[in-house]
Amino acid sequence: MQIARGYAAAPALTAERFVADPFGEPGSRLYRTGDLVKRQAGGDLEYLGRTDFQVKLRGQRIELGEIEAVIAGAPGVVHAAATVAQASTGGEFLVGYVSPASVDLDSVKEHVAAALPEYMQPSVWNLIDDVVLNSAGKLDRKALPAPDFSAAQSEYAAPVGSVEEQLAAIVGGLLGIDRVSVTESFFALGGDSIMSIRLASAARAAGWELSPREIFESRTVRKMAALVTNSDRGVQVLDELPGGGVGESVIRPITSWMLEHSSQPSDFADFAQSMVLVAPAGMTPEALADILAAIVAAHPMLSARLEIVDEAWTLTAGTEFDAAESVLSVQSTNDSGTEEFGADVLRAYTEAVSGMDPAAGRLLRACLVTTGDDRARIVLAIHHLGVDAVSWPILIEDLITAWAQHREGKPICLRAEGTSQRAWAGAVAGLREEFEEQSGYWLERLPELPTRLGSRFDASRDRDKTSVALVHNVEGEVAAELLTRLPEAFGGTVDDVLLGTFARAVHGWQRSRGIDAAATVSVLAEGHGRDEHLLDRGDEPRRAELSRTVGWFTTLAPLKLDPAADVVHAIKAAKEERLGTPDGGAGFGVLRYRENGERAIGDLGSRPLPSILFNYLGATGAAGVGVETPFATAGDVPPLPGSVRGEMTMSAALIIDAMSVASEDGRRLQVRFRFPEAMLQAEDVQGLADQWSAELSAAVEAGRNQIGLSPSDVPGSGITQEELDLIALDAPGAQVWP
């Protein structure tokens, strides 16, 4: 049999379909049909469908051709098609088309359910009498009718029993849905990974133990209900130490990092996180003190004591808390929203944090500031030793609950923590021996000489109080693309796009200034540190319950970023680096620091940390100035500093905090650079920011073409990026299977 040399006047289509024959004579070609087949033991090929249409739905790569082949194999089906469509509500659904309309749809669904995993089963079905064929005699997809989403909504399975009713109500509340079918996937209804954490917390509040990973695996309310009522299920929860969350604790690596950047205890005395909240009408200093006393009692790390005992650092959680002494009251004569009122809030915050003393367990301070226009704000400051970004929603929930109970004259009763930070810290420290095998991996990412920025970092000189801030914005089409479509095109995250382009920007910036550039760029990246299944290993696996635990769980880990030959490969390299990080980076801190807060002996403990600290904070909404919702974040005050005195050594020579910010013109990327004034000049950093913007623009432009695969897209194969590139050259658009 012979084939043509190509398609007439269609060079792009010819290059895609007519590919080099690796088995034939030089110059011979093969025609890529796009059919998906399986070679059987006897050598025959079993036709499975088409590979032209690969899509990604809720994080899963789906071959529509494989789905269509299964549907077509159901009794009575003549034509079958599958596609992904978006409903008017914004949700995406996998849609199946079946012809003729007289077919038994229930039997088709049973056939598909028996052959395909749940994520590959259509959630919307459409029966059609006639199908339109193209000139090749194949189904014309463009002529398929619009999906009937109402049919899916009508297939409602009501909850049976109190457990399903409770879980369905929780899911409906989180997703804003009046009626939840217990057989519908939580993710098909609009849930995502962040929502799964909130669902786990709400389920636990109702008395049902459910982890985010179990939600992902169960998906439907019915399966979740069956899981939570199964007394014989899964891995046991980590046992608490004697005393629960109260008592002496292993010092977490992130606390050791704080000590590493402090010459003396007074340096970190006011190292804090803070929020300014709208105070509800009727709030008094006395009521606030009562509420905070109950909150501190529920969360022992809010009154933890870090002190030197017998020449060694010691951490004790749950020490005595003087609520009345911890609450200040300030009367401002200025109206809220004015610059003068902002200055009053800053003075109140300064007075509050000046009373912090980690050695005495005084970590939480608050100030009730009354405005000149009869409003009030709660300035709540907590030493970083007792809080992180994930802890704040827990504390806001407690404030709302405690205030409601206080107003009704009831005793304040808050939800208890699951796994205490004390138990978690001890259990993670116990993994040190297992983490030892990662030492070589981390040393490769912790060079003896960090990424050069033009001059040397001086730990004694370059303190937080010497830092200069520069804010850079990326807006318009570039921001819209890099925050939405571009990460999806790479099968990755916004972090991958930002880190890959940043690595190239650093290299270009170094070359333009005559700075010697290493082959890779080393950065220190933050993680939330709350992987509840980190302990699910070994002979005695355990899991933790951290959705209600307040404390400082942050992890830090170095990343080795390859600027690569072009921006596409740089982003792919960043994606592979992120996905290849063992245990989410938890092992690095355990190996760098000892349990008493000191650095470990050896290269991992002695080498300097990267000169660049990078943190993508995700999306944030616009501040709601004038909105007076009790305990909501007040939008009428400026940001408060993490330390008023700024005596700690800067955590890096260049600190980058990036976030997606909502505005009237859509979302923009806001990047805040901080750097020592004696080491870098603002124009230098602005040059780096401009270089980064240029790389982001190049990435957006490159993303309009076919991106191609990276090794993690073919799990378990061991294939390299170079091999994938060669395949893409020989067979553009080809699918690669393990």
Side-chain angles (χ1 to χ4, degrees), residues 176-196:
I177 300 173
D178 293 332
R179 193 175 70 161
V180 174
S181 173
V182 297
T183 57
E184 182 67 86
S185 168
F186 170 71
F187 299 96
L189 291 170
D192 55 28
S193 59
I194 300 300
M195 283 286 192
S196 69

mmCIF file with all atom_site columns, all heavy atoms in Angstrom, residues 176-196:
data_model
loop_
_atom_site.group_PDB
_atom_site.id
_atom_site.type_symbol
_atom_site.label_atom_id
_atom_site.label_alt_id
_atom_site.label_comp_id
_atom_site.label_asym_id
_atom_site.label_entity_id
_atom_site.label_seq_id
_atom_site.pdbx_PDB_ins_code
_atom_site.Cartn_x
_atom_site.Cartn_y
_atom_site.Cartn_z
_atom_site.occupancy
_atom_site.B_iso_or_equiv
_atom_site.pdbx_formal_charge
_atom_site.auth_seq_id
_atom_site.auth_comp_id
_atom_site.auth_asym_id
_atom_site.auth_atom_id
_atom_site.pdbx_PDB_model_num
ATOM 1   N N   . GLY A 1 176 ? -22.507 26.834 47.676 1.00 0.00 ? 176 GLY A N   1
ATOM 2   C CA  . GLY A 1 176 ? -23.618 27.713 47.341 1.00 0.00 ? 176 GLY A CA  1
ATOM 3   C C   . GLY A 1 176 ? -24.679 27.044 46.502 1.00 0.00 ? 176 GLY A C   1
ATOM 4   O O   . GLY A 1 176 ? -25.286 27.661 45.624 1.00 0.00 ? 176 GLY A O   1
ATOM 5   N N   . ILE A 1 177 ? -24.934 25.760 46.780 1.00 0.00 ? 177 ILE A N   1
ATOM 6   C CA  . ILE A 1 177 ? -25.921 24.977 46.030 1.00 0.00 ? 177 ILE A CA  1
ATOM 7   C C   . ILE A 1 177 ? -27.070 24.609 46.973 1.00 0.00 ? 177 ILE A C   1
ATOM 8   O O   . ILE A 1 177 ? -26.841 24.118 48.077 1.00 0.00 ? 177 ILE A O   1
ATOM 9   C CB  . ILE A 1 177 ? -25.280 23.694 45.463 1.00 0.00 ? 177 ILE A CB  1
ATOM 10  C CG1 . ILE A 1 177 ? -24.127 24.057 44.523 1.00 0.00 ? 177 ILE A CG1 1
ATOM 11  C CG2 . ILE A 1 177 ? -26.306 22.844 44.729 1.00 0.00 ? 177 ILE A CG2 1
ATOM 12  C CD1 . ILE A 1 177 ? -23.334 22.868 44.045 1.00 0.00 ? 177 ILE A CD1 1
ATOM 13  N N   . ASP A 1 178 ? -28.299 24.850 46.526 1.00 0.00 ? 178 ASP A N   1
ATOM 14  C CA  . ASP A 1 178 ? -29.461 24.582 47.380 1.00 0.00 ? 178 ASP A CA  1
ATOM 15  C C   . ASP A 1 178 ? -29.695 23.088 47.565 1.00 0.00 ? 178 ASP A C   1
ATOM 16  O O   . ASP A 1 178 ? -30.101 22.641 48.647 1.00 0.00 ? 178 ASP A O   1
ATOM 17  C CB  . ASP A 1 178 ? -30.716 25.226 46.784 1.00 0.00 ? 178 ASP A CB  1
ATOM 18  C CG  . ASP A 1 178 ? -30.646 26.743 46.809 1.00 0.00 ? 178 ASP A CG  1
ATOM 19  O OD1 . ASP A 1 178 ? -29.962 27.278 47.702 1.00 0.00 ? 178 ASP A OD1 1
ATOM 20  O OD2 . ASP A 1 178 ? -31.258 27.382 45.935 1.00 0.00 ? 178 ASP A OD2 1
ATOM 21  N N   . ARG A 1 179 ? -29.458 22.318 46.519 1.00 0.00 ? 179 ARG A N   1
ATOM 22  C CA  . ARG A 1 179 ? -29.770 20.896 46.564 1.00 0.00 ? 179 ARG A CA  1
ATOM 23  C C   . ARG A 1 179 ? -28.596 20.101 45.998 1.00 0.00 ? 179 ARG A C   1
ATOM 24  O O   . ARG A 1 179 ? -28.194 20.306 44.857 1.00 0.00 ? 179 ARG A O   1
ATOM 25  C CB  . ARG A 1 179 ? -31.046 20.617 45.762 1.00 0.00 ? 179 ARG A CB  1
ATOM 26  C CG  . ARG A 1 179 ? -31.638 19.243 46.001 1.00 0.00 ? 179 ARG A CG  1
ATOM 27  C CD  . ARG A 1 179 ? -32.955 19.074 45.274 1.00 0.00 ? 179 ARG A CD  1
ATOM 28  N NE  . ARG A 1 179 ? -32.781 18.995 43.819 1.00 0.00 ? 179 ARG A NE  1
ATOM 29  C CZ  . ARG A 1 179 ? -33.691 18.500 42.994 1.00 0.00 ? 179 ARG A CZ  1
ATOM 30  N NH1 . ARG A 1 179 ? -34.853 18.072 43.469 1.00 0.00 ? 179 ARG A NH1 1
ATOM 31  N NH2 . ARG A 1 179 ? -33.479 18.459 41.696 1.00 0.00 ? 179 ARG A NH2 1
ATOM 32  N N   . VAL A 1 180 ? -28.033 19.209 46.811 1.00 0.00 ? 180 VAL A N   1
ATOM 33  C CA  . VAL A 1 180 ? -26.871 18.431 46.401 1.00 0.00 ? 180 VAL A CA  1
ATOM 34  C C   . VAL A 1 180 ? -27.267 16.972 46.243 1.00 0.00 ? 180 VAL A C   1
ATOM 35  O O   . VAL A 1 180 ? -27.775 16.346 47.179 1.00 0.00 ? 180 VAL A O   1
ATOM 36  C CB  . VAL A 1 180 ? -25.733 18.545 47.442 1.00 0.00 ? 180 VAL A CB  1
ATOM 37  C CG1 . VAL A 1 180 ? -24.580 17.615 47.084 1.00 0.00 ? 180 VAL A CG1 1
ATOM 38  C CG2 . VAL A 1 180 ? -25.254 19.985 47.530 1.00 0.00 ? 180 VAL A CG2 1
ATOM 39  N N   . SER A 1 181 ? -27.033 16.443 45.049 1.00 0.00 ? 181 SER A N   1
ATOM 40  C CA  . SER A 1 181 ? -27.271 15.017 44.825 1.00 0.00 ? 181 SER A CA  1
ATOM 41  C C   . SER A 1 181 ? -26.138 14.225 45.467 1.00 0.00 ? 181 SER A C   1
ATOM 42  O O   . SER A 1 181 ? -24.965 14.531 45.258 1.00 0.00 ? 181 SER A O   1
ATOM 43  C CB  . SER A 1 181 ? -27.326 14.717 43.327 1.00 0.00 ? 181 SER A CB  1
ATOM 44  O OG  . SER A 1 181 ? -27.393 13.320 43.105 1.00 0.00 ? 181 SER A OG  1
ATOM 45  N N   . VAL A 1 182 ? -26.471 13.208 46.241 1.00 0.00 ? 182 VAL A N   1
ATOM 46  C CA  . VAL A 1 182 ? -25.456 12.462 46.979 1.00 0.00 ? 182 VAL A CA  1
ATOM 47  C C   . VAL A 1 182 ? -24.644 11.542 46.087 1.00 0.00 ? 182 VAL A C   1
ATOM 48  O O   . VAL A 1 182 ? -23.668 10.942 46.537 1.00 0.00 ? 182 VAL A O   1
ATOM 49  C CB  . VAL A 1 182 ? -26.091 11.641 48.128 1.00 0.00 ? 182 VAL A CB  1
ATOM 50  C CG1 . VAL A 1 182 ? -26.739 12.557 49.143 1.00 0.00 ? 182 VAL A CG1 1
ATOM 51  C CG2 . VAL A 1 182 ? -27.091 10.630 47.583 1.00 0.00 ? 182 VAL A CG2 1
ATOM 52  N N   . THR A 1 183 ? -25.034 11.413 44.822 1.00 0.00 ? 183 THR A N   1
ATOM 53  C CA  . THR A 1 183 ? -24.260 10.590 43.895 1.00 0.00 ? 183 THR A CA  1
ATOM 54  C C   . THR A 1 183 ? -23.437 11.440 42.923 1.00 0.00 ? 183 THR A C   1
ATOM 55  O O   . THR A 1 183 ? -22.785 10.898 42.038 1.00 0.00 ? 183 THR A O   1
ATOM 56  C CB  . THR A 1 183 ? -25.189 9.660  43.094 1.00 0.00 ? 183 THR A CB  1
ATOM 57  O OG1 . THR A 1 183 ? -26.157 10.458 42.397 1.00 0.00 ? 183 THR A OG1 1
ATOM 58  C CG2 . THR A 1 183 ? -25.894 8.686  44.010 1.00 0.00 ? 183 THR A CG2 1
ATOM 59  N N   . GLU A 1 184 ? -23.466 12.749 43.100 1.00 0.00 ? 184 GLU A N   1
ATOM 60  C CA  . GLU A 1 184 ? -22.714 13.645 42.223 1.00 0.00 ? 184 GLU A CA  1
ATOM 61  C C   . GLU A 1 184 ? -21.350 13.935 42.838 1.00 0.00 ? 184 GLU A C   1
ATOM 62  O O   . GLU A 1 184 ? -21.209 14.107 44.049 1.00 0.00 ? 184 GLU A O   1
ATOM 63  C CB  . GLU A 1 184 ? -23.481 14.952 42.031 1.00 0.00 ? 184 GLU A CB  1
ATOM 64  C CG  . GLU A 1 184 ? -22.812 15.952 41.089 1.00 0.00 ? 184 GLU A CG  1
ATOM 65  C CD  . GLU A 1 184 ? -22.791 15.462 39.662 1.00 0.00 ? 184 GLU A CD  1
ATOM 66  O OE1 . GLU A 1 184 ? -23.775 15.669 38.936 1.00 0.00 ? 184 GLU A OE1 1
ATOM 67  O OE2 . GLU A 1 184 ? -21.767 14.856 39.292 1.00 0.00 ? 184 GLU A OE2 1
ATOM 68  N N   . SER A 1 185 ? -20.327 14.003 42.005 1.00 0.00 ? 185 SER A N   1
ATOM 69  C CA  . SER A 1 185 ? -18.974 14.274 42.481 1.00 0.00 ? 185 SER A CA  1
ATOM 70  C C   . SER A 1 185 ? -18.871 15.683 43.052 1.00 0.00 ? 185 SER A C   1
ATOM 71  O O   . SER A 1 185 ? -19.358 16.649 42.454 1.00 0.00 ? 185 SER A O   1
ATOM 72  C CB  . SER A 1 185 ? -17.967 14.101 41.342 1.00 0.00 ? 185 SER A CB  1
ATOM 73  O OG  . SER A 1 185 ? -16.703 14.614 41.710 1.00 0.00 ? 185 SER A OG  1
ATOM 74  N N   . PHE A 1 186 ? -18.234 15.805 44.201 1.00 0.00 ? 186 PHE A N   1
ATOM 75  C CA  . PHE A 1 186 ? -17.983 17.101 44.821 1.00 0.00 ? 186 PHE A CA  1
ATOM 76  C C   . PHE A 1 186 ? -17.225 18.019 43.865 1.00 0.00 ? 186 PHE A C   1
ATOM 77  O O   . PHE A 1 186 ? -17.476 19.224 43.791 1.00 0.00 ? 186 PHE A O   1
ATOM 78  C CB  . PHE A 1 186 ? -17.182 16.884 46.111 1.00 0.00 ? 186 PHE A CB  1
ATOM 79  C CG  . PHE A 1 186 ? -16.640 18.131 46.750 1.00 0.00 ? 186 PHE A CG  1
ATOM 80  C CD1 . PHE A 1 186 ? -17.481 19.039 47.363 1.00 0.00 ? 186 PHE A CD1 1
ATOM 81  C CD2 . PHE A 1 186 ? -15.279 18.388 46.748 1.00 0.00 ? 186 PHE A CD2 1
ATOM 82  C CE1 . PHE A 1 186 ? -16.976 20.189 47.963 1.00 0.00 ? 186 PHE A CE1 1
ATOM 83  C CE2 . PHE A 1 186 ? -14.766 19.521 47.338 1.00 0.00 ? 186 PHE A CE2 1
ATOM 84  C CZ  . PHE A 1 186 ? -15.616 20.424 47.953 1.00 0.00 ? 186 PHE A CZ  1
ATOM 85  N N   . PHE A 1 187 ? -16.304 17.455 43.097 1.00 0.00 ? 187 PHE A N   1
ATOM 86  C CA  . PHE A 1 187 ? -15.493 18.251 42.182 1.00 0.00 ? 187 PHE A CA  1
ATOM 87  C C   . PHE A 1 187 ? -16.276 18.613 40.924 1.00 0.00 ? 187 PHE A C   1
ATOM 88  O O   . PHE A 1 187 ? -16.060 19.678 40.342 1.00 0.00 ? 187 PHE A O   1
ATOM 89  C CB  . PHE A 1 187 ? -14.209 17.497 41.844 1.00 0.00 ? 187 PHE A CB  1
ATOM 90  C CG  . PHE A 1 187 ? -13.372 17.220 43.069 1.00 0.00 ? 187 PHE A CG  1
ATOM 91  C CD1 . PHE A 1 187 ? -13.452 16.007 43.729 1.00 0.00 ? 187 PHE A CD1 1
ATOM 92  C CD2 . PHE A 1 187 ? -12.536 18.194 43.583 1.00 0.00 ? 187 PHE A CD2 1
ATOM 93  C CE1 . PHE A 1 187 ? -12.703 15.760 44.869 1.00 0.00 ? 187 PHE A CE1 1
ATOM 94  C CE2 . PHE A 1 187 ? -11.781 17.965 44.722 1.00 0.00 ? 187 PHE A CE2 1
ATOM 95  C CZ  . PHE A 1 187 ? -11.874 16.742 45.367 1.00 0.00 ? 187 PHE A CZ  1
ATOM 96  N N   . ALA A 1 188 ? -17.189 17.742 40.507 1.00 0.00 ? 188 ALA A N   1
ATOM 97  C CA  . ALA A 1 188 ? -18.040 18.080 39.370 1.00 0.00 ? 188 ALA A CA  1
ATOM 98  C C   . ALA A 1 188 ? -18.996 19.216 39.721 1.00 0.00 ? 188 ALA A C   1
ATOM 99  O O   . ALA A 1 188 ? -19.423 19.974 38.852 1.00 0.00 ? 188 ALA A O   1
ATOM 100 C CB  . ALA A 1 188 ? -18.826 16.856 38.917 1.00 0.00 ? 188 ALA A CB  1
ATOM 101 N N   . LEU A 1 189 ? -19.328 19.354 40.982 1.00 0.00 ? 189 LEU A N   1
ATOM 102 C CA  . LEU A 1 189 ? -20.220 20.414 41.434 1.00 0.00 ? 189 LEU A CA  1
ATOM 103 C C   . LEU A 1 189 ? -19.507 21.755 41.579 1.00 0.00 ? 189 LEU A C   1
ATOM 104 O O   . LEU A 1 189 ? -20.146 22.770 41.845 1.00 0.00 ? 189 LEU A O   1
ATOM 105 C CB  . LEU A 1 189 ? -20.852 20.027 42.777 1.00 0.00 ? 189 LEU A CB  1
ATOM 106 C CG  . LEU A 1 189 ? -21.857 18.868 42.737 1.00 0.00 ? 189 LEU A CG  1
ATOM 107 C CD1 . LEU A 1 189 ? -22.204 18.427 44.157 1.00 0.00 ? 189 LEU A CD1 1
ATOM 108 C CD2 . LEU A 1 189 ? -23.112 19.270 41.980 1.00 0.00 ? 189 LEU A CD2 1
ATOM 109 N N   . GLY A 1 190 ? -18.182 21.752 41.444 1.00 0.00 ? 190 GLY A N   1
ATOM 110 C CA  . GLY A 1 190 ? -17.427 22.996 41.538 1.00 0.00 ? 190 GLY A CA  1
ATOM 111 C C   . GLY A 1 190 ? -16.402 23.027 42.644 1.00 0.00 ? 190 GLY A C   1
ATOM 112 O O   . GLY A 1 190 ? -15.738 24.049 42.850 1.00 0.00 ? 190 GLY A O   1
ATOM 113 N N   . GLY A 1 191 ? -16.236 21.914 43.377 1.00 0.00 ? 191 GLY A N   1
ATOM 114 C CA  . GLY A 1 191 ? -15.240 21.873 44.435 1.00 0.00 ? 191 GLY A CA  1
ATOM 115 C C   . GLY A 1 191 ? -13.832 21.785 43.888 1.00 0.00 ? 191 GLY A C   1
ATOM 116 O O   . GLY A 1 191 ? -13.621 21.406 42.736 1.00 0.00 ? 191 GLY A O   1
ATOM 117 N N   . ASP A 1 192 ? -12.848 22.158 44.704 1.00 0.00 ? 192 ASP A N   1
ATOM 118 C CA  . ASP A 1 192 ? -11.447 22.046 44.317 1.00 0.00 ? 192 ASP A CA  1
ATOM 119 C C   . ASP A 1 192 ? -10.634 21.659 45.546 1.00 0.00 ? 192 ASP A C   1
ATOM 120 O O   . ASP A 1 192 ? -11.193 21.371 46.610 1.00 0.00 ? 192 ASP A O   1
ATOM 121 C CB  . ASP A 1 192 ? -10.943 23.346 43.698 1.00 0.00 ? 192 ASP A CB  1
ATOM 122 C CG  . ASP A 1 192 ? -11.156 24.561 44.600 1.00 0.00 ? 192 ASP A CG  1
ATOM 123 O OD1 . ASP A 1 192 ? -11.188 24.391 45.839 1.00 0.00 ? 192 ASP A OD1 1
ATOM 124 O OD2 . ASP A 1 192 ? -11.295 25.676 44.079 1.00 0.00 ? 192 ASP A OD2 1
ATOM 125 N N   . SER A 1 193 ? -9.313  21.659 45.414 1.00 0.00 ? 193 SER A N   1
ATOM 126 C CA  . SER A 1 193 ? -8.466  21.187 46.507 1.00 0.00 ? 193 SER A CA  1
ATOM 127 C C   . SER A 1 193 ? -8.575  22.073 47.744 1.00 0.00 ? 193 SER A C   1
ATOM 128 O O   . SER A 1 193 ? -8.554  21.574 48.873 1.00 0.00 ? 193 SER A O   1
ATOM 129 C CB  . SER A 1 193 ? -7.004  21.114 46.043 1.00 0.00 ? 193 SER A CB  1
ATOM 130 O OG  . SER A 1 193 ? -6.557  22.388 45.606 1.00 0.00 ? 193 SER A OG  1
ATOM 131 N N   . ILE A 1 194 ? -8.683  23.388 47.545 1.00 0.00 ? 194 ILE A N   1
ATOM 132 C CA  . ILE A 1 194 ? -8.823  24.285 48.691 1.00 0.00 ? 194 ILE A CA  1
ATOM 133 C C   . ILE A 1 194 ? -10.170 24.063 49.371 1.00 0.00 ? 194 ILE A C   1
ATOM 134 O O   . ILE A 1 194 ? -10.269 24.017 50.607 1.00 0.00 ? 194 ILE A O   1
ATOM 135 C CB  . ILE A 1 194 ? -8.674  25.746 48.248 1.00 0.00 ? 194 ILE A CB  1
ATOM 136 C CG1 . ILE A 1 194 ? -7.294  25.975 47.623 1.00 0.00 ? 194 ILE A CG1 1
ATOM 137 C CG2 . ILE A 1 194 ? -8.887  26.679 49.425 1.00 0.00 ? 194 ILE A CG2 1
ATOM 138 C CD1 . ILE A 1 194 ? -6.149  25.696 48.545 1.00 0.00 ? 194 ILE A CD1 1
ATOM 139 N N   . MET A 1 195 ? -11.213 23.908 48.569 1.00 0.00 ? 195 MET A N   1
ATOM 140 C CA  . MET A 1 195 ? -12.534 23.628 49.129 1.00 0.00 ? 195 MET A CA  1
ATOM 141 C C   . MET A 1 195 ? -12.540 22.314 49.906 1.00 0.00 ? 195 MET A C   1
ATOM 142 O O   . MET A 1 195 ? -13.273 22.164 50.890 1.00 0.00 ? 195 MET A O   1
ATOM 143 C CB  . MET A 1 195 ? -13.571 23.569 48.006 1.00 0.00 ? 195 MET A CB  1
ATOM 144 C CG  . MET A 1 195 ? -13.990 24.923 47.473 1.00 0.00 ? 195 MET A CG  1
ATOM 145 S SD  . MET A 1 195 ? -15.082 25.783 48.632 1.00 0.00 ? 195 MET A SD  1
ATOM 146 C CE  . MET A 1 195 ? -15.666 27.119 47.585 1.00 0.00 ? 195 MET A CE  1
ATOM 147 N N   . SER A 1 196 ? -11.731 21.346 49.468 1.00 0.00 ? 196 SER A N   1
ATOM 148 C CA  . SER A 1 196 ? -11.716 20.060 50.160 1.00 0.00 ? 196 SER A CA  1
ATOM 149 C C   . SER A 1 196 ? -11.165 20.201 51.570 1.00 0.00 ? 196 SER A C   1
ATOM 150 O O   . SER A 1 196 ? -11.583 19.480 52.481 1.00 0.00 ? 196 SER A O   1
ATOM 151 C CB  . SER A 1 196 ? -10.907 19.036 49.364 1.00 0.00 ? 196 SER A CB  1
ATOM 152 O OG  . SER A 1 196 ? -9.530  19.348 49.377 1.00 0.00 ? 196 SER A OG  1
#
